[in-house]
DNA sequence: GGCGTTTTGGAACATTTATTCCAAAAATCC
DNA sequence: GGATTTTTGGAATAAATGTTCCAAAACGCC
């Protein structure tokens, strides 16, 4: 069989790959057919396998598999694998590019800026949907629903979230207290047995929030953390950690995803409390 | 840092991995912390990345990443990657599929709620771009950029927006004052000639906000309104009216679009002030 | 500010993995 | 059944990737 039977361009998507696979699969000699079959049955493992592994699985020598890749239109296995690795790529973590876009837009009109922020928000929301830890979310709802008074704490950039949560809890008649640092007052003595803390902070993490969470944790209260990464210092003292993959531009974080998650939490807690009341 | 701080057994599941990650992540030196953060934020890419790629992403040399793997309890990167490759479930489905799955999780569950809020947010963002009055936005930026001190007022559900604006203005060194009603104090005497008011309110409109806007307007200050409809009572005393078509889900609005518009306004004003300074 | 300790970067090295090539085997055709 | 073409396997080679190690820098502690 000639490698260049057709004017070949390498498939650039999983769909195109599959299409070409079915197109060529009849009329293939024995060993190559074995490759095709095994690959077809294990498309989702291509990204994480080596030539040797796939070849063994297909019960052919590595060289046969190489030939197969070439027949598919790629220069070799590496090129083919690259396509699969990129195809499963998550939507956004192209941090650098986005930042550049925003900077360029910053010098433009307000409308251009708006478009950027809207886009950042949309991407954050999509990525939130893809990455939410459902188990952690359920645990968090459960913990907060069982508690007496909820203590919501979040300062600086997290304060808008905290204040919205306080507002929503109030609307739903869930006893909640918003901890701010007005007058540098410290409200930690307000924590009582049976209460729970909902702490929100993002890098650079604010001391006060972490301290309050730690205090509560030390005293045996439930602590739910809403933060940006699992490695956040908040994770230390939390019984449930919810992370939000927000696209972050220094001070200019869109907060869309964070708000959506916070709101979900609040409403779910409210509903859960009604059920069990 | 010693590699064998603890009697280490290499995590054999993604959960165990994440648990250990949070356990060790504080008290890590700078480079290793960078590794931890980047890894935590890209867990789903470990299976399909090389040491070099991950190291570049974390902005550390490859050797630092190797050390990180060892601290996590593995003999090296290969062993760690092996675990992820075995656990590899072919990437999350795309956004649309995942969203559908979440919704089907059953109404009432937190996941289903999340899907709804995300959806509401996305729709709001989309319609924001379509419906924004560019002229009004430009005027608003102009007015706020020329003013001395900015007075940001927004209560109840608008308060999160107002507080975030105050935060962003502060970060950009734009003189701004957040009007809350702590202690029922009224700050209207803080308004001085040359200042401008940025008032935010949604139905049901809050008296205080409208009153402050009216007062400012009466005294000849510029007033920018961020509200839900052109017929809002705020419109009467405003020199520029920005409206946000936010979609509600249940009784609560996601605020995504409102935040995006607010952020745009703030950043545009900050940039404009720098230019003309 | 010197001294021991920890952390870091990168070059050298080792290992794994991909790829090529060609002679042997099988298939096809006359 | 022999000549010609296609297919195959594996050994040899090339490329890439992972890993170690050590000197230099940074840090923390008297």
């Amino acid at each position: 069989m000639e490698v260049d039977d057709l004017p070949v361009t390498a498939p650039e998507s999983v769909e195109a790959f599959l299409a070409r696979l079915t197109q060529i699969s009849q009329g293939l000699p024995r060993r190559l057919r074995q490759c095709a079959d095994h690959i077809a049955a294990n498309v989702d493992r291509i990204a994480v396998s080596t030539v040797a592994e796939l070849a063994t699985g297909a019960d052919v020598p590595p060289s046969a598999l190489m030939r197969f890749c070439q027949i598919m239109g790629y220069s070799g296995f590496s090129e083919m694998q690259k396509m699969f690795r990129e195809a499963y790529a998550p939507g956004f973590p192209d941090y650098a590019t986005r930042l550049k876009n925003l900077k360029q837009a910053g010098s433009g009109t307000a409308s251009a800026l708006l478009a950027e922020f809207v886009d950042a928000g949309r991407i954050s929301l999509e990525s939130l949907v893809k990455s939410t830890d459902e188990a952690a979310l359920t645990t968090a709802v459960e913990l907060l629903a069982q508690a007496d008074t909820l203590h919501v704490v979040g300062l600086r950039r997290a304060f808008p979230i905290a204040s919205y949560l306080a507002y929503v809890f109030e609307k739903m008649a869930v006893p909640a207290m918003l901890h701010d640092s007005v007058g540098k007052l410290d409200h930690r003595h307000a924590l009582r047995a049976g209460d729970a803390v909902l702490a929100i902070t993002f890098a650079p993490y604010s001391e006060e929030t972490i301290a309050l969470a730690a205090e509560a944790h030390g005293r045996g209260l439930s602590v739910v953390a809403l933060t940006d990464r699992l490695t956040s210092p908040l994770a230390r003292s939390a019984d449930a950690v919810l992370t939000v993959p927000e696209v972050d531009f220094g001070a200019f974080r869109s907060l869309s995803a964070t708000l959506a998650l916070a709101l979900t939490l609040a409403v779910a807690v409210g509903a859960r409390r009604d059920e069990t009341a």
Side-chain angles (χ1 to χ4, degrees), chain A residues 1 51 82 87 118 126 142 149 167 217 224 246 272 276:
Chain A
M1 158 149 316
V51 174
K82 191 171 163 221
V118 165
E126 288 188 5
E142 211 48 51
T149 295
Y167 170 82
H217 185 64
V224 172
E246 192 93 50
R272 195 92 182 74
T276 58

Side-chain angles (χ1 to χ4, degrees), chain A residues 11 21 26 28 51 70 79 84 91 96 114 118-119 148-149 155-156 159 169 205 209 243 247 253-254 274:
Chain A
L21 189 60
Q26 36 351 300
L28 237 39
V51 174
Q70 282 160 346
E79 192 177 300
F84 281 92
L114 180 63
V118 165
D119 217 34
D148 296 336
T149 295
L155 303 173
R156 309 176 154 278
F159 184 65
F169 280 134
Y205 310 101
T209 306
T243 60
V247 179
R253 138 183 308 225
S254 80
D274 278 349

Side-chain angles (χ1 to χ4, degrees), chain A residues 13 29 56 67 85 92 97 136 169 239 266:
Chain A
S13 71
T56 309
R67 269 192 294 273
R85 289 188 169 175
F92 86 106
T97 313
F169 280 134
D239 301 291

Side-chain angles (χ1 to χ4, degrees), chain A residues 14-212:
Chain A
V14 179
E15 291 74 38
F17 178 90
L18 261 19
R20 176 150 177 86
L21 189 60
T22 52
Q23 184 195 39
I24 62 166
S25 62
Q26 36 351 300
L28 237 39
R30 188 163 130 267
R31 291 277 113 117
L32 290 178
R33 166 156 271 279
Q34 281 173 252
C35 291
D37 288 349
H38 184 253
I39 290 284
N42 296 279
V43 191
D44 53 340
R45 301 230 46 99
I46 299 176
V48 294
S49 302
T50 65
V51 174
E53 284 164 3
L54 289 172
T56 309
D59 197 30
V60 299
S63 48
L65 212 133
M66 289 304 300
R67 269 192 294 273
F68 172 79
C69 296
Q70 282 160 346
I71 287 173
M72 287 295 290
Y74 302 95
S75 68
F77 177 74
S78 298
E79 192 177 300
M80 184 173 107
Q81 187 176 52
K82 191 171 163 221
M83 193 226 89
F84 281 92
R85 289 188 169 175
E86 279 164 10
Y88 293 126
F92 86 106
D94 199 357
Y95 185 92
T97 313
R98 298 224 63 90
L99 183 52
K100 206 167 45 185
N101 286 349
L102 187 65
K103 278 188 176 156
Q104 286 169 351
S107 54
T109 66
S111 301
L113 250 188
L114 180 63
E116 285 298 330
F117 280 122
V118 165
D119 217 34
R122 215 203 59 238
I123 289 168
S124 295
L125 285 174
E126 288 188 5
S127 134
L128 173 66
V129 161
K130 286 195 232 162
S131 71
T132 306
D133 179 347
E134 293 187 47
L137 182 57
T138 309
T139 309
V141 171
E142 211 48 51
L143 290 174
L144 297 181
Q146 282 162 8
D148 296 336
T149 295
L150 304 184
H151 298 265
V152 182
V153 56
L155 303 173
R156 309 176 154 278
R157 69 161 55 160
F159 184 65
I161 307 291
S163 61
Y164 195 41
L165 279 169
Y167 170 82
V168 172
F169 280 134
E170 194 204 297
K171 283 287 165 199
M172 294 190 305
V174 172
M177 171 173 177
L178 176 63
H179 289 238
D180 47 38
S181 36
V182 169
K184 289 271 176 229
L185 291 178
D186 193 335
H187 299 142
R188 68 180 60 185
H189 48 270
L191 303 177
R192 312 188 71 89
D195 289 359
V197 168
L198 173 47
I200 312 157
T201 186
F202 308 107
Y205 310 101
S206 64
E207 283 305 330
E208 299 96 319
T209 306
I210 294 166
L212 191 79

